[in-house]
Amino acid sequence: MALALSTTLHTSFNDAVERTRKALSEQGFGVLTEIDMKATLKAKLGEDMEDYVILGACNPPLAHRAVTVDRQIGLLLPCNVVVRTDPNDPNTVVVDAMNPQMMVQVADQPGLAEVADDATAALQTAIDSLKADTAKN
């Protein structure tokens, strides 16, 4: 099973972040948290890295369904989405969304399968819309 649902974009990093936020919003996800790994690692460790942001995305109806099945599933929420510059190609941005099917594998609760399927469909639609936007440009 793949860890992520992914796409590659040929745009600026800031544009990719903005478009990812919009694509998530169109599928009912809000961004609850944002971690700028580049800035954090520079500030805390003095280490340099490429642009790398983790968006903690949450779709409230899906999250509610998941925690109704298993209260501990909150440990795997929100759905993380990473927007990162490819370290081998600074003109390429990769968007990776956590594969919600991992939730089913980890929790092993039969009632989570339907929630994971719905979350996967919504995140895949968001990822696919990023590809579609790229084709238009």
Side-chain angles (χ1 to χ4, degrees):
M1 170 178 306
L3 180 62
L5 310 173
S6 303
T7 193
T8 302
L9 306 175
H10 299 285
T11 188
S12 72
F13 179 76
N14 289 336
D15 181 59
V17 171
E18 183 180 319
R19 287 172 44 198
T20 300
R21 284 177 168 279
K22 181 179 179 213
L24 289 168
S25 176
E26 289 172 352
Q27 294 305 312
F29 290 88
V31 175
L32 302 176
T33 61
E34 180 173 329
I35 301 169
D36 182 337
M37 289 293 290
K38 179 180 180 175
T40 300
L41 294 179
K42 184 65 172 178
K44 301 292 183 184
L45 303 175
E47 296 291 334
D48 290 314
M49 72 176 296
E50 67 279 359
D51 291 320
Y52 191 117
V53 170
I54 302 169
L55 303 174
C58 180
N59 179 307
L62 292 174
H64 179 255
R65 287 172 50 203
V67 298
T68 298
V69 172
D70 183 347
R71 290 291 199 237
Q72 287 186 326
I73 206 65
L75 294 166
L76 300 177
L77 299 175
C79 296
N80 284 327
V81 178
V82 172
V83 182
R84 60 188 174 86
T85 301
D86 184 334
N88 300 315
D89 181 0
N91 297 315
T92 299
V93 179
V94 178
V95 180
D96 294 315
M98 183 194 78
N99 184 345
Q101 298 301 324
M102 300 297 293
M103 179 174 58
V104 177
Q105 296 292 318
V106 171
D108 194 29
Q109 290 284 340
L112 289 175
E114 185 179 328
V115 179
D117 289 346
D118 292 346
T120 300
L123 284 171
Q124 189 65 62
T125 298
I127 293 291
D128 290 347
S129 75
L130 293 171
K131 293 180 202 175
D133 283 350
T134 299
K136 292 176 190 174
N137 294 332

